[in-house]
Amino acid sequence: MKKQQSQTYEPVDASPVKSFFVSMLTRDISLEEAILDLLDNCVDGILRSAPSEDDKKPYQDYRAELTFNGDSFTITDNCGGIPWKLHDYAFRMGRPKERPDESPGSVGVYGIGMKRAMFKMGRHCLVSTQNGKERYEVEIDPGWIADEEQWAIPVKEATKTKKKDGTTIVIGELYPEIASRFSEELESFKADLERMIAAHYAFIINKGFEVLVNGSVVRPRPTKLVFSKGGKGTHGIKPYIFKTTTPEGVSVFVAVGFARPMPTQEEIEGEKEETRYSSVEAGWTILCNDRAVLYCDRTELTGWGEAGVPRYHNQFIAISGVVEFRCDDARKLPMTTTKRGIESSSRLYLQIKNKMREGMRIFIDYTNKWKGSTEESKKHIEGEVAIPFNEVKIASKKLVFRSTKRTIPSGEQYRPNLPLPKKIESNQRRISFVRDEGKVKRVAQYLYDDVEADPS
């Protein structure tokens, strides 16, 4: 019998397709989020440049300026630049295995932020950076994007010297939909972007970082909590606080309390803008290495409406909370790949959410007990100062914490001794006693002519 000849097969080509990367990387991220990725890189540059040791203003004197119109987008910063030793990581698609450790406090994990942002907006990108004596430029043009065989990007020495080390990125040949948002929709887009920066970078801006959008300085919107200066044993308004460090090296700080006095119904529904209370600043803000990945959330994601905590209602409009996760290794933080969301299935986050709900219940109970006496309850908060979260952390060092070794996760917590309304004494009293059944029936027969009458 003739033996069948075996078939010879060529190796399968599994090399990546450049156009796939360029299109797919940008599909699941909004334009605003892509721009925030570039700001993340600025902050990472500050961290590499050794920020100030000042607890309140570690990012002082650092800035990033965004300018855009229908023709181009530019971001320029003085945040230290990209060292040449990191160029391979900065411009490759993804994070190489041999990549040096990221600076403590960074949120860079996958190595796609800057590239994704550039490809989201246009087809021509010029990156010019300076770090000490190293000054170089990298240019990505439409020809490079179209060439599936060529992955190397030309690099040349930068001709201009910057006053301070930093990076400038210019993106041209904008895609039509991007050019439209930067021109016809300019004012609304600028307002939306400023609002996102004010929220997501509130804590970094509040620590000294300056961000300008088309010449306008962005004002931060940090969460503030009332922190009474009353001494030990007083019924001052202070937040509930829990803090811990996990075996994996993630430090967690939870604070929840009142951001302002409890409002009356008239203030919630009032027609006057200056007295109307808004829900905008209520709820939970979650920070990962200083970046707000979730801002003023009032859903089940942050514990509202589950495990004994009621759904958010305007009655709780004065309650705000902040959770801070910090870790030198950003991969251990419970944030999504876009860095603008929380990984709700994270084991660490689920454990911390228990503490978030525990703290919420304290202030929800307080509002319930003072319901109907709002004006009186306000007296305990009015005159007190609401301070930003970073100052809450500093002020909390003077508090007496209790160890919570039996809970998961274990850590230390402070439960505030909040003032309660006076009990209203009733004029009525209950009398209850027991007697022999025969005697009860004799009384029933005498009073009601019925021995089976109800003893009560």
Side-chain angles (χ1 to χ4, degrees):
M1 186 174 180
K2 188 177 180 180
K3 187 177 181 182
Q4 189 174 0
Q5 206 169 18
S6 61
Q7 177 70 42
T8 302
Y9 294 96
E10 296 282 340
V12 176
D13 183 5
S15 61
V17 178
K18 191 185 296 182
S19 57
F20 169 80
F21 274 99
V22 172
S23 62
M24 293 304 294
L25 275 178
T26 62
R27 182 166 295 184
D28 296 327
I29 190 171
S30 70
L31 175 58
E32 293 87 345
E33 289 173 333
I35 293 173
L36 295 188
D37 266 350
L38 296 177
L39 286 175
D40 280 338
N41 289 342
C42 297
V43 177
D44 289 347
I46 297 173
L47 297 173
R48 287 194 298 267
S49 304
S52 167
E53 295 182 0
D54 183 343
D55 284 341
K56 291 186 178 182
K57 299 290 183 181
Y59 303 113
Q60 190 75 50
D61 299 325
Y62 290 98
R63 65 184 298 185
E65 186 168 358
L66 313 175
T67 56
F68 45 83
N69 53 42
D71 296 320
S72 65
F73 171 92
T74 301
I75 178 170
T76 185
D77 68 62
N78 66 343
C79 301
I82 305 171
W84 179 249
K85 66 179 181 180
L86 296 181
H87 77 280
D88 193 39
Y89 165 74
F91 296 99
R92 284 186 67 179
M93 303 282 196
R95 185 187 182 102
K97 186 177 180 180
E98 66 279 5
R99 196 267 192 233
D101 291 337
E102 190 56 84
S103 302
S106 167
V107 292
V109 176
Y110 303 102
I112 60 174
M114 181 175 71
K115 284 80 72 176
R116 180 164 60 179
M118 294 189 298
F119 296 145
K120 178 76 177 180
M121 288 186 257
R123 304 192 318 133
H124 198 155
C125 315
L126 178 65
V127 181
S128 179
T129 189
Q130 175 179 303
N131 177 261
K133 295 181 180 180
E134 299 170 348
R135 299 190 303 273
Y136 61 95
E137 290 181 353
V138 174
E139 185 173 6
I140 300 174
D141 59 25
W144 181 88
I145 294 176
D147 189 345
E148 294 292 351
E149 303 299 324
Q150 180 59 264
W151 284 83
I153 305 173
V155 181
K156 64 180 181 179
E157 185 176 356
T159 55
K160 294 183 179 179
T161 302
K162 297 176 179 289
K163 291 182 179 179
K164 290 187 176 180
D165 288 352
T167 301
T168 297
I169 300 174
V170 181
I171 304 172
E173 295 194 31
L174 302 178
Y175 297 114
E177 63 274 18
I178 304 299
S180 174
R181 299 199 69 185
F182 288 167
S183 54
E184 287 94 339
E185 305 169 31
L186 177 62
E187 291 306 317
S188 62
F189 175 78
K190 179 175 179 288
D192 289 343
L193 180 62
E194 287 178 336
R195 205 159 29 242
M196 288 186 71
I197 294 172
H200 288 279
Y201 287 86
F203 299 90
I204 292 176
I205 295 174
N206 207 50
K207 291 181 178 182
F209 188 49
E210 185 177 49
V211 180
L212 293 88
V213 177
N214 277 0
S216 302
V217 176
V218 177
R219 303 299 176 190
R221 291 164 51 194
T223 299
K224 295 183 178 182
L225 298 176
V226 173
F227 201 109
S228 171
K229 295 182 180 179
K232 183 179 178 182
T234 64
H235 291 273
I237 301 292
K238 291 185 177 70
Y240 163 90
I241 295 173
F242 173 79
K243 57 184 180 179
T244 188
T245 299
T246 70
E248 295 76 24
V250 181
S251 64
V252 187
F253 192 100
V254 179
V256 58
F258 287 121
R260 51 193 170 180
M262 289 168 50
T264 62
Q265 197 62 31
E266 290 75 18
E267 287 171 323
I268 294 174
E269 301 174 353
E271 296 181 359
K272 294 183 179 180
E273 188 67 34
E274 63 270 17
T275 60
R276 186 186 306 150
Y277 266 46
S278 168
S279 287
V280 172
E281 296 176 357
W284 283 97
T285 294
I286 299 181
L287 308 175
C288 287
N289 285 354
D290 275 349
R291 283 79 154 183
V293 299
L294 208 60
Y295 183 74
C296 293
D297 183 86
R298 299 179 289 278
T299 69
E300 289 183 2
L301 185 59
T302 50
W304 290 97
E306 61 178 19
V309 174
R311 291 185 179 277
Y312 175 79
H313 183 274
N314 281 347
Q315 176 188 341
F316 312 127
I317 207 168
I319 300 175
S320 291
V322 181
V323 183
E324 179 190 56
F325 294 96
R326 299 193 71 87
C327 188
D328 290 350
D329 186 351
R331 291 170 294 184
K332 297 177 182 178
L333 299 173
M335 62 182 178
T336 60
T337 58
T338 63
K339 298 174 280 188
R340 308 289 166 239
I342 198 73
E343 181 53 62
S344 59
S345 62
S346 159
R347 180 171 172 270
L348 171 60
Y349 179 67
L350 291 173
Q351 291 174 351
I352 294 301
K353 192 156 75 159
N354 289 331
K355 292 299 179 180
M356 294 162 63
R357 287 191 292 252
E358 181 179 336
M360 272 198 287
R361 290 190 194 101
I362 294 172
F363 296 91
I364 288 171
D365 289 347
Y366 178 93
T367 60
N368 287 333
K369 289 173 182 176
W370 281 98
K371 192 183 294 184
S373 304
T374 306
E375 291 295 342
E376 185 182 349
S377 75
K378 278 189 171 187
K379 297 176 183 178
H380 296 286
I381 301 179
E382 288 177 338
E384 299 288 0
V385 178
I387 58 177
F389 174 69
N390 57 308
E391 294 183 26
V392 169
K393 289 185 67 179
I394 295 171
S396 71
K397 294 177 181 179
K398 297 180 181 180
L399 300 177
V400 177
F401 283 79
R402 182 176 63 85
S403 175
T404 60
K405 292 182 179 179
R406 295 183 180 181
T407 64
I408 299 175
S410 61
E412 294 180 299
Q413 73 178 15
Y414 170 80
R415 295 177 65 92
N417 188 16
L418 301 176
L420 297 175
K422 295 179 181 178
K423 291 184 179 180
I424 300 175
E425 297 292 338
S426 171
N427 291 326
Q428 297 183 343
R429 298 291 182 268
R430 178 183 296 276
I431 298 176
S432 178
F433 54 88
V434 177
R435 287 293 182 268
D436 180 77
E437 183 180 15
K439 292 181 179 181
V440 173
K441 288 185 175 182
R442 284 166 55 190
V443 173
Q445 179 68 38
Y446 178 79
L447 293 176
Y448 300 106
D449 196 26
D450 180 5
V451 294
E452 301 299 330
D454 192 316
S456 63

